[in-house]
Coordinates of all heavy atoms in Angstrom, one line a residue:
M1 N 8.4 -18.2 68.8 CA 7.4 -19.2 69.1 C 6.0 -18.7 68.8 O 5.6 -17.6 69.2 CB 7.5 -19.6 70.5 CG 7.1 -21.0 70.8 SD 7.7 -22.3 69.8 CE 9.3 -22.6 70.6
R2 N 5.2 -19.5 68.1 CA 3.8 -19.1 67.8 C 3.0 -20.4 67.8 O 3.5 -21.5 67.8 CB 3.8 -18.4 66.5 CG 4.2 -19.2 65.3 CD 4.1 -18.5 64.0 NE 5.1 -17.6 63.7 CZ 5.4 -17.0 62.6 NH1 4.6 -17.3 61.5 NH2 6.4 -16.2 62.4
V3 N 1.6 -20.2 67.7 CA 0.7 -21.3 67.7 C 1.0 -22.1 66.5 O 1.1 -21.7 65.4 CB -0.8 -20.7 67.7 CG1 -1.7 -21.9 67.5 CG2 -1.1 -20.0 69.0
G4 N 1.0 -23.4 66.7 CA 1.3 -24.4 65.7 C 2.7 -24.9 65.6 O 3.0 -25.8 65.0
D5 N 3.6 -24.1 66.3 CA 5.0 -24.5 66.4 C 5.2 -25.8 67.2 O 4.4 -26.1 68.1 CB 5.8 -23.4 67.0 CG 6.3 -22.4 65.9 OD1 5.9 -22.6 64.7 OD2 7.0 -21.4 66.3
Y6 N 6.3 -26.5 67.0 CA 6.6 -27.6 67.8 C 7.5 -27.2 68.9 O 8.3 -26.3 68.8 CB 7.4 -28.7 67.0 CG 6.5 -29.3 65.8 CD1 7.1 -29.9 64.7 CD2 5.1 -29.3 65.9 CE1 6.4 -30.4 63.7 CE2 4.4 -29.8 64.9 CZ 5.0 -30.4 63.8 OH 4.3 -30.9 62.8
I7 N 7.2 -27.8 70.1 CA 8.0 -27.5 71.3 C 8.2 -28.7 72.1 O 7.3 -29.6 72.2 CB 7.3 -26.3 72.1 CG1 8.2 -25.8 73.2 CG2 6.0 -26.8 72.6 CD1 7.6 -24.6 73.8
D8 N 9.3 -28.8 72.8 CA 9.6 -29.9 73.7 C 8.9 -29.6 75.0 O 9.2 -28.5 75.6 CB 11.1 -30.1 73.9 CG 11.7 -30.9 72.8 OD1 11.0 -31.5 72.0 OD2 12.9 -31.0 72.7
A9 N 8.1 -30.5 75.5 CA 7.5 -30.3 76.8 C 7.3 -31.6 77.5 O 7.3 -32.7 76.8 CB 6.2 -29.6 76.7
Y10 N 7.1 -31.6 78.8 CA 6.9 -32.8 79.5 C 5.5 -33.2 79.4 O 4.6 -32.4 79.8 CB 7.3 -32.7 81.0 CG 7.1 -33.9 81.8 CD1 8.1 -34.9 81.7 CD2 6.0 -34.1 82.6 CE1 7.9 -36.1 82.5 CE2 5.8 -35.3 83.3 CZ 6.8 -36.3 83.3 OH 6.6 -37.4 84.0
C11 N 5.2 -34.4 79.0 CA 3.8 -34.9 78.9 C 3.6 -35.8 80.1 O 4.3 -36.8 80.3 CB 3.6 -35.7 77.6 SG 2.0 -36.4 77.5
S12 N 2.5 -35.5 80.9 CA 2.3 -36.3 82.1 C 1.6 -37.6 81.8 O 1.5 -38.5 82.6 CB 1.4 -35.5 83.1 OG 0.3 -35.0 82.4
R13 N 1.1 -37.7 80.5 CA 0.5 -39.0 80.1 C 1.6 -39.9 79.6 O 1.6 -41.1 79.9 CB -0.5 -38.7 79.0 CG -1.8 -39.4 79.3 CD -2.7 -39.2 78.2 NE -4.0 -38.6 78.6 CZ -5.0 -38.4 77.8 NH1 -5.0 -38.8 76.5 NH2 -6.1 -37.8 78.2
C14 N 2.5 -39.4 78.8 CA 3.6 -40.2 78.3 C 4.7 -40.3 79.4 O 5.6 -41.2 79.2 CB 4.2 -39.6 77.0 SG 3.1 -39.4 75.7
K15 N 4.6 -39.5 80.4 CA 5.6 -39.5 81.5 C 7.0 -39.3 81.0 O 8.0 -39.9 81.5 CB 5.6 -40.8 82.2 CG 4.2 -41.1 82.8 CD 4.3 -41.2 84.3 CE 3.0 -41.7 84.9 NZ 1.9 -40.6 84.9
R16 N 7.1 -38.4 80.0 CA 8.5 -38.1 79.5 C 8.3 -36.8 78.6 O 7.3 -36.4 78.2 CB 9.1 -39.2 78.7 CG 8.2 -39.7 77.5 CD 8.8 -40.8 76.8 NE 10.0 -40.4 76.1 CZ 10.7 -41.2 75.3 NH1 10.3 -42.5 75.1 NH2 11.8 -40.8 74.8
V17 N 9.5 -36.3 78.2 CA 9.5 -35.1 77.4 C 9.2 -35.5 75.9 O 9.9 -36.4 75.4 CB 10.9 -34.4 77.4 CG1 10.9 -33.2 76.4 CG2 11.1 -33.8 78.8
M18 N 8.2 -35.0 75.3 CA 7.8 -35.3 74.0 C 7.7 -34.1 73.1 O 7.6 -33.0 73.6 CB 6.4 -36.1 74.0 CG 6.4 -37.3 74.9 SD 7.4 -38.6 74.4 CE 6.6 -39.1 72.9
D19 N 7.5 -34.3 71.8 CA 7.2 -33.2 70.9 C 5.8 -32.8 71.1 O 4.9 -33.6 71.2 CB 7.4 -33.7 69.5 CG 8.8 -33.5 69.0 OD1 9.6 -32.9 69.7 OD2 9.1 -34.1 67.9
H20 N 5.6 -31.5 71.3 CA 4.3 -30.9 71.5 C 4.0 -29.9 70.4 O 4.9 -29.3 69.8 CB 4.1 -30.3 72.9 CG 4.0 -31.3 74.0 ND1 5.0 -32.1 74.3 CD2 2.9 -31.5 74.8 CE1 4.6 -32.9 75.4 NE2 3.3 -32.5 75.6
T21 N 2.7 -29.6 70.2 CA 2.3 -28.5 69.3 C 1.8 -27.4 70.2 O 1.0 -27.6 71.1 CB 1.2 -29.0 68.3 OG1 1.7 -30.1 67.6 CG2 0.9 -27.9 67.3
V22 N 2.2 -26.2 69.9 CA 1.7 -25.0 70.7 C 0.2 -24.8 70.3 O -0.1 -24.6 69.1 CB 2.5 -23.7 70.4 CG1 2.0 -22.6 71.1 CG2 4.0 -24.0 70.8
V23 N -0.7 -24.8 71.3 CA -2.1 -24.6 71.0 C -2.5 -23.1 71.3 O -3.3 -22.6 70.6 CB -2.9 -25.5 71.9 CG1 -4.4 -25.5 71.5 CG2 -2.4 -26.9 71.9
S24 N -2.0 -22.5 72.3 CA -2.3 -21.1 72.6 C -1.1 -20.4 73.3 O -0.3 -21.0 73.9 CB -3.6 -21.0 73.4 OG -3.3 -21.4 74.7
M25 N -1.1 -19.1 73.1 CA 0.0 -18.3 73.6 C -0.6 -17.2 74.6 O -1.7 -16.8 74.5 CB 0.7 -17.6 72.5 CG 1.2 -18.5 71.4 SD 2.8 -19.2 71.8 CE 3.8 -17.7 72.0
E26 N 0.3 -16.8 75.5 CA -0.1 -15.7 76.3 C 1.0 -14.7 76.1 O 2.1 -14.8 76.7 CB -0.2 -16.1 77.8 CG -1.6 -16.2 78.3 CD -1.6 -16.8 79.7 OE1 -0.8 -16.3 80.5 OE2 -2.4 -17.6 80.0
G27 N 0.8 -13.7 75.3 CA 1.8 -12.8 74.9 C 2.9 -13.5 74.1 O 2.6 -14.1 73.1
S28 N 4.1 -13.5 74.6 CA 5.2 -14.2 73.9 C 5.5 -15.5 74.5 O 6.4 -16.2 74.1 CB 6.4 -13.3 73.8 OG 6.8 -13.0 75.1
E29 N 4.7 -15.9 75.6 CA 4.9 -17.1 76.3 C 3.9 -18.2 75.8 O 2.8 -17.9 75.5 CB 4.7 -16.9 77.8 CG 5.6 -15.9 78.4 CD 7.1 -16.3 78.4 OE1 7.3 -17.5 78.8 OE2 7.9 -15.5 78.0
V30 N 4.4 -19.4 75.7 CA 3.6 -20.5 75.4 C 2.6 -20.8 76.5 O 3.1 -21.0 77.7 CB 4.4 -21.8 75.0 CG1 3.5 -23.0 74.7 CG2 5.3 -21.5 73.9
S31 N 1.3 -20.9 76.2 CA 0.4 -21.1 77.3 C -0.1 -22.6 77.4 O -0.1 -23.2 78.4 CB -0.9 -20.2 77.1 OG -1.9 -20.5 78.0
R32 N -0.6 -23.1 76.2 CA -1.0 -24.5 76.2 C -0.4 -25.3 75.1 O -0.1 -24.7 74.0 CB -2.6 -24.5 76.1 CG -3.3 -24.1 77.3 CD -4.8 -24.2 77.1 NE -5.2 -25.6 77.1 CZ -5.4 -26.3 78.3 NH1 -5.2 -25.7 79.4 NH2 -5.8 -27.6 78.2
V33 N -0.2 -26.5 75.3 CA 0.5 -27.4 74.3 C -0.3 -28.7 74.2 O -1.0 -29.1 75.1 CB 1.9 -27.7 74.6 CG1 2.8 -26.4 74.5 CG2 2.1 -28.3 76.0
R34 N -0.1 -29.4 73.0 CA -0.8 -30.7 72.8 C 0.3 -31.7 72.4 O 1.1 -31.4 71.5 CB -1.8 -30.6 71.8 CG -2.6 -32.0 71.6 CD -3.5 -32.0 70.4 NE -4.6 -31.1 70.6 CZ -5.0 -30.1 69.7 NH1 -4.3 -30.0 68.6 NH2 -6.0 -29.3 70.0
C35 N 0.3 -32.8 73.2 CA 1.3 -33.8 72.9 C 1.0 -34.4 71.5 O -0.1 -34.8 71.2 CB 1.2 -34.9 74.0 SG 2.3 -36.3 73.7
R36 N 2.1 -34.5 70.7 CA 1.9 -35.0 69.3 C 1.8 -36.5 69.3 O 1.4 -37.1 68.3 CB 3.1 -34.6 68.5 CG 3.2 -33.1 68.3 CD 4.3 -32.7 67.4 NE 4.2 -33.3 66.1 CZ 5.2 -33.6 65.3 NH1 6.4 -33.4 65.7 NH2 5.0 -34.0 64.1
T37 N 2.2 -37.1 70.5 CA 2.1 -38.6 70.5 C 0.8 -39.1 71.0 O 0.2 -40.0 70.4 CB 3.2 -39.1 71.5 OG1 4.5 -38.6 71.0 CG2 3.3 -40.6 71.5
C38 N 0.2 -38.5 72.1 CA -1.0 -39.0 72.6 C -2.2 -38.0 72.6 O -3.3 -38.3 73.0 CB -0.8 -39.5 74.1 SG -0.5 -38.1 75.2
D39 N -1.9 -36.8 71.9 CA -2.9 -35.8 71.8 C -3.4 -35.2 73.1 O -4.5 -34.7 73.1 CB -4.1 -36.3 70.9 CG -3.9 -36.2 69.4 OD1 -2.9 -35.4 69.1 OD2 -4.6 -36.8 68.6
Y40 N -2.7 -35.4 74.1 CA -3.1 -34.8 75.4 C -2.8 -33.4 75.5 O -1.6 -33.0 75.3 CB -2.4 -35.6 76.5 CG -2.6 -35.1 77.9 CD1 -4.0 -35.0 78.4 CD2 -1.6 -34.8 78.8 CE1 -4.2 -34.5 79.7 CE2 -1.8 -34.4 80.1 CZ -3.1 -34.2 80.5 OH -3.4 -33.8 81.8
E41 N -3.8 -32.5 75.7 CA -3.6 -31.1 75.7 C -3.5 -30.6 77.2 O -4.3 -31.0 78.0 CB -4.8 -30.4 75.1 CG -4.6 -28.9 74.7 CD -5.7 -28.3 74.0 OE1 -6.2 -28.8 73.0 OE2 -6.2 -27.2 74.5
H42 N -2.5 -29.8 77.4 CA -2.3 -29.4 78.8 C -1.5 -28.1 78.8 O -1.0 -27.6 77.8 CB -1.5 -30.5 79.6 CG -0.2 -30.8 79.0 ND1 1.0 -30.3 79.3 CD2 0.1 -31.7 78.0 CE1 2.0 -30.8 78.6 NE2 1.5 -31.7 77.8
T43 N -1.4 -27.5 80.1 CA -0.7 -26.3 80.2 C 0.8 -26.5 80.1 O 1.3 -27.5 80.6 CB -1.0 -25.7 81.6 OG1 -2.4 -25.7 81.8 CG2 -0.5 -24.3 81.8
Y44 N 1.4 -25.5 79.4 CA 2.8 -25.6 79.3 C 3.5 -24.9 80.4 O 3.2 -23.7 80.7 CB 3.3 -25.0 77.9 CG 4.8 -24.9 77.8 CD1 5.5 -26.1 77.5 CD2 5.4 -23.7 77.9 CE1 6.9 -26.0 77.4 CE2 6.8 -23.7 77.8 CZ 7.5 -24.8 77.5 OH 8.9 -24.7 77.4
R45 N 4.4 -25.5 81.1 CA 5.1 -24.9 82.2 C 6.6 -24.8 81.8 O 7.2 -25.9 81.6 CB 4.9 -25.6 83.5 CG 3.6 -25.4 84.0 CD 3.4 -26.1 85.4 NE 2.1 -26.7 85.6 CZ 1.9 -28.0 85.3 NH1 2.9 -28.8 85.0 NH2 0.7 -28.5 85.5
P46 N 7.1 -23.6 81.7 CA 8.6 -23.5 81.3 C 9.4 -24.2 82.4 O 9.1 -24.1 83.6 CB 8.8 -22.0 81.4 CG 7.5 -21.4 81.2 CD 6.5 -22.3 81.8
G47 N 10.4 -24.9 82.0 CA 11.3 -25.6 83.0 C 11.0 -27.0 83.0 O 11.7 -27.8 83.6
Q48 N 9.9 -27.4 82.4 CA 9.6 -28.8 82.4 C 10.5 -29.6 81.5 O 10.7 -30.8 81.7 CB 8.1 -29.0 81.8 CG 7.1 -28.6 82.8 CD 5.7 -28.8 82.2 OE1 5.5 -28.6 81.0 NE2 4.7 -29.2 83.0
T49 N 11.2 -29.0 80.6 CA 12.2 -29.7 79.8 C 13.6 -29.6 80.4 O 14.5 -30.0 79.7 CB 12.2 -29.0 78.4 OG1 12.6 -27.7 78.5 CG2 10.9 -29.1 77.7
G50 N 13.6 -29.2 81.7 CA 14.9 -29.0 82.3 C 15.8 -30.3 82.3 O 17.0 -30.2 82.5
K51 N 15.2 -31.5 82.2 CA 15.9 -32.7 82.2 C 16.9 -32.8 81.0 O 17.9 -33.5 81.1 CB 15.0 -33.9 82.2 CG 14.3 -34.1 83.6 CD 13.4 -35.3 83.5 CE 12.6 -35.4 84.8 NZ 11.6 -36.5 84.7
K52 N 16.5 -32.1 79.9 CA 17.3 -32.1 78.7 C 18.5 -31.2 78.9 O 18.4 -30.1 79.3 CB 16.5 -31.7 77.5 CG 16.5 -32.7 76.4 CD 15.6 -32.2 75.3 CE 15.4 -33.3 74.2 NZ 14.6 -32.9 73.1
K53 N 19.7 -31.7 78.6 CA 20.9 -30.9 78.7 C 21.1 -30.1 77.4 O 21.1 -30.6 76.3 CB 22.1 -31.8 78.9 CG 23.3 -31.0 79.5 CD 24.5 -31.9 79.7 CE 25.6 -31.1 80.3 NZ 26.8 -32.0 80.4
E54 N 21.1 -28.8 77.6 CA 21.3 -27.9 76.4 C 22.7 -27.4 76.3 O 23.3 -27.1 77.3 CB 20.3 -26.7 76.5 CG 18.9 -27.1 76.1 CD 18.0 -25.9 76.1 OE1 18.5 -24.8 75.7 OE2 16.8 -26.0 76.3
L55 N 23.2 -27.4 75.1 CA 24.5 -27.0 74.9 C 24.6 -25.5 74.9 O 23.7 -24.8 74.4 CB 25.0 -27.5 73.5 CG 25.2 -29.0 73.3 CD1 25.6 -29.3 71.9 CD2 26.3 -29.5 74.2
T56 N 25.7 -25.0 75.5 CA 25.9 -23.5 75.4 C 26.4 -23.2 73.9 O 26.7 -24.1 73.2 CB 27.0 -23.1 76.3 OG1 28.3 -23.7 76.0 CG2 26.7 -23.5 77.8
K57 N 26.4 -21.9 73.6 CA 26.8 -21.6 72.3 C 28.3 -22.0 72.0 O 28.6 -22.5 70.9 CB 26.8 -20.0 72.1 CG 25.4 -19.5 71.7 CD 25.5 -18.1 71.4 CE 24.1 -17.5 70.9 NZ 24.1 -16.1 70.7
E58 N 29.1 -21.9 73.0 CA 30.5 -22.3 72.8 C 30.6 -23.8 72.6 O 31.4 -24.3 71.8 CB 31.3 -21.9 74.1 CG 32.8 -21.9 73.8 CD 33.6 -21.5 75.1 OE1 33.0 -20.9 76.0 OE2 34.8 -21.7 75.1
E59 N 29.9 -24.6 73.4 CA 29.9 -26.0 73.3 C 29.4 -26.5 71.9 O 30.0 -27.4 71.3 CB 29.1 -26.7 74.4 CG 29.8 -26.7 75.7 CD 28.9 -27.2 76.8 OE1 27.6 -27.0 76.7 OE2 29.4 -27.7 77.8
A60 N 28.3 -25.8 71.5 CA 27.8 -26.1 70.2 C 28.8 -25.8 69.1 O 29.0 -26.6 68.1 CB 26.5 -25.3 69.9
F61 N 29.4 -24.7 69.2 CA 30.4 -24.2 68.2 C 31.6 -25.2 68.2 O 32.0 -25.6 67.1 CB 31.0 -22.8 68.6 CG 32.1 -22.4 67.7 CD1 31.8 -21.9 66.4 CD2 33.4 -22.4 68.1 CE1 32.8 -21.4 65.6 CE2 34.4 -22.0 67.3 CZ 34.1 -21.5 66.0
N62 N 32.0 -25.7 69.4 CA 33.1 -26.6 69.4 C 32.8 -27.9 68.8 O 33.6 -28.6 68.1 CB 33.6 -26.8 70.9 CG 34.4 -25.7 71.4 OD1 35.0 -24.9 70.6 ND2 34.4 -25.5 72.7
Q63 N 31.5 -28.3 69.0 CA 31.0 -29.6 68.4 C 31.0 -29.5 66.8 O 31.5 -30.4 66.2 CB 29.6 -29.9 68.8 CG 29.6 -30.9 70.0 CD 28.2 -31.5 70.2 OE1 27.3 -31.2 69.5 NE2 28.1 -32.2 71.3
V64 N 30.5 -28.4 66.3 CA 30.5 -28.1 64.9 C 32.0 -28.1 64.4 O 32.3 -28.8 63.4 CB 29.8 -26.8 64.5 CG1 30.0 -26.5 63.1 CG2 28.4 -26.9 64.9
L65 N 32.8 -27.4 65.1 CA 34.2 -27.3 64.7 C 34.9 -28.7 64.6 O 35.6 -29.0 63.7 CB 35.0 -26.4 65.7 CG 36.4 -26.0 65.3 CD1 36.3 -25.0 64.1 CD2 37.1 -25.4 66.5
A66 N 34.6 -29.5 65.6 CA 35.2 -30.8 65.7 C 34.7 -31.7 64.6 O 35.5 -32.4 64.0 CB 34.8 -31.5 67.0
S67 N 33.4 -31.6 64.2 CA 32.9 -32.4 63.1 C 33.4 -31.9 61.8 O 33.7 -32.7 60.9 CB 31.3 -32.3 63.1 OG 30.9 -31.0 62.8
V68 N 33.6 -30.6 61.7 CA 34.2 -30.1 60.5 C 35.7 -30.5 60.3 O 36.1 -30.9 59.3 CB 34.1 -28.5 60.4 CG1 35.0 -27.9 59.3 CG2 32.7 -28.1 60.3
M69 N 36.4 -30.4 61.5 CA 37.8 -30.8 61.5 C 38.0 -32.2 61.1 O 39.0 -32.6 60.4 CB 38.4 -30.5 62.8 CG 38.5 -29.1 63.3 SD 39.6 -28.1 62.3 CE 41.1 -28.4 63.1
G70 N 37.0 -33.0 61.5 CA 37.1 -34.5 61.2 C 36.9 -34.8 59.7 O 37.1 -35.9 59.3
T71 N 36.3 -33.9 59.0 CA 35.9 -34.2 57.6 C 36.7 -33.4 56.6 O 36.3 -33.2 55.5 CB 34.4 -33.9 57.4 OG1 34.1 -32.6 57.8 CG2 33.5 -34.9 58.3
I72 N 37.8 -32.8 57.1 CA 38.6 -32.1 56.1 C 39.2 -33.1 55.1 O 39.8 -34.1 55.5 CB 39.8 -31.4 56.9 CG1 39.2 -30.2 57.6 CG2 40.9 -31.0 55.9 CD1 40.3 -29.4 58.4
P73 N 39.0 -32.8 53.8 CA 39.6 -33.6 52.8 C 41.1 -33.8 52.9 O 41.8 -32.8 53.1 CB 39.2 -32.9 51.5 CG 38.2 -31.9 51.8 CD 38.3 -31.6 53.3
G74 N 41.5 -35.0 52.9 CA 43.0 -35.2 53.0 C 43.3 -35.8 54.4 O 44.1 -36.6 54.5
A75 N 42.5 -35.3 55.4 CA 42.8 -35.8 56.7 C 42.5 -37.3 56.8 O 43.2 -38.0 57.6 CB 41.9 -35.0 57.7
T76 N 41.4 -37.7 56.1 CA 41.1 -39.1 56.2 C 41.8 -39.9 55.1 O 41.9 -41.1 55.2 CB 39.6 -39.3 56.0 OG1 39.2 -38.6 54.8 CG2 38.8 -38.8 57.2
E77 N 42.4 -39.2 54.1 CA 43.1 -39.9 53.1 C 44.6 -40.1 53.4 O 45.3 -40.5 52.5 CB 43.0 -39.1 51.8 CG 41.5 -39.1 51.2 CD 41.4 -38.1 50.1 OE1 42.4 -37.7 49.5 OE2 40.2 -37.8 49.8
E78 N 44.9 -39.6 54.6 CA 46.3 -39.8 54.9 C 46.8 -41.2 54.9 O 46.2 -42.1 55.4 CB 46.5 -39.2 56.4 CG 48.0 -38.9 56.7 CD 48.1 -38.2 58.0 OE1 47.3 -37.3 58.3 OE2 49.0 -38.6 58.8
K79 N 47.9 -41.4 54.1 CA 48.3 -42.8 53.9 C 49.1 -43.2 55.2 O 50.0 -42.5 55.7 CB 49.2 -42.9 52.7 CG 48.4 -42.7 51.4 CD 49.3 -42.6 50.2 CE 48.4 -42.3 49.0 NZ 49.3 -41.9 47.8
P80 N 48.9 -44.4 55.6 CA 49.6 -45.0 56.7 C 51.1 -45.1 56.3 O 51.4 -45.6 55.1 CB 49.0 -46.3 56.9 CG 48.2 -46.7 55.7 CD 47.9 -45.4 55.0
K81 N 51.9 -44.8 57.2 CA 53.4 -44.8 56.9 C 53.9 -46.3 57.1 O 54.0 -46.8 58.2 CB 54.2 -43.9 57.8 CG 53.9 -42.4 57.4 CD 54.6 -41.5 58.4 CE 54.3 -40.1 58.1 NZ 54.7 -39.1 59.1
K82 N 54.1 -46.9 56.0 CA 54.7 -48.3 56.0 C 56.0 -48.3 55.3 O 56.1 -47.9 54.1 CB 53.7 -49.2 55.4 CG 52.5 -49.6 56.4 CD 51.6 -50.6 55.7 CE 50.4 -50.9 56.6 NZ 49.5 -51.8 55.9
K83 N 56.9 -48.7 56.0 CA 58.2 -48.9 55.3 C 58.5 -50.3 54.8 O 58.5 -51.2 55.6 CB 59.4 -48.5 56.3 CG 59.4 -47.0 56.5 CD 60.6 -46.7 57.5 CE 60.7 -45.2 57.7 NZ 61.7 -44.8 58.7
K84 N 58.6 -50.3 53.5 CA 58.8 -51.6 52.9 C 60.3 -51.7 52.5 O 60.8 -50.9 51.7 CB 57.9 -51.9 51.8 CG 56.5 -52.3 52.3 CD 55.6 -52.5 51.1 CE 54.2 -52.9 51.5 NZ 53.3 -53.1 50.4
K85 N 60.9 -52.8 52.8 CA 62.3 -52.9 52.4 C 62.5 -54.1 51.4 O 61.8 -55.1 51.6 CB 63.2 -53.1 53.6 CG 63.5 -51.8 54.3 CD 64.5 -52.1 55.5 CE 64.8 -50.8 56.2 NZ 65.6 -51.0 57.3
Ligands
ZN101 ZN1 1.8 -37.6 75.5

C-alpha cells in the first residue's frame, strides 16, 4: 500500500464503504484517505471496512475451482439423453 493507491474505507459523508485514495502514510500504515466519490479527506481507521465479508484463501480457491469446473469444455456440450424409438 502506498500513497495514491485505492483502498476501501468507510466514508462518513457517503455513510458507506467507498473507494478511497491514499493521501498519506505512517510507516506501512495508511494514515489519511480521500473519498473518490465526494472528495472528503479524512483519517483512515483500520477495521472500518469490517462490514465487508472477506473470503479466506480456501474459500477463494474453491470459488475459482467451481468457476473453472463449470467451464470445462464438454461439460456444457453434454448432449441430453433422449431415447427416440
Ligand atoms: Zn464520500
Side-chain angles (χ1 to χ4, degrees):
M1 204 51 81
R2 61 177 81 165
V3 172
D5 273 2
Y6 294 158
I7 189 172
D8 278 348
Y10 181 80
C11 176
S12 53
R13 231 185 236 186
C14 298
K15 302 241 186 285
R16 57 181 294 185
V17 175
M18 304 295 291
D19 273 351
H20 284 68
T21 308
V22 178
V23 191
S24 73
M25 305 278 300
E26 259 176 42
S28 60
E29 301 289 315
V30 178
S31 173
R32 290 183 73 79
V33 293
R34 183 188 294 128
C35 178
R36 295 181 64 208
T37 304
C38 69
D39 274 344
Y40 177 52
E41 195 178 310
H42 57 94
T43 310
Y44 174 76
R45 288 185 219 96
Q48 285 179 324
T49 60
K51 285 177 183 176
K52 235 179 187 178
K53 199 180 179 184
E54 283 187 29
L55 293 176
T56 65
K57 272 186 181 177
E58 195 179 347
E59 284 171 334
F61 175 78
N62 284 338
Q63 262 196 6
V64 171
L65 192 69
S67 67
V68 169
M69 295 294 273
T71 55
I72 285 178
T76 52
E77 291 171 18
E78 199 172 316
K79 290 171 186 172
K81 289 173 183 174
K82 280 181 182 175
K83 285 182 180 176
K84 283 182 181 177
K85 281 184 178 176

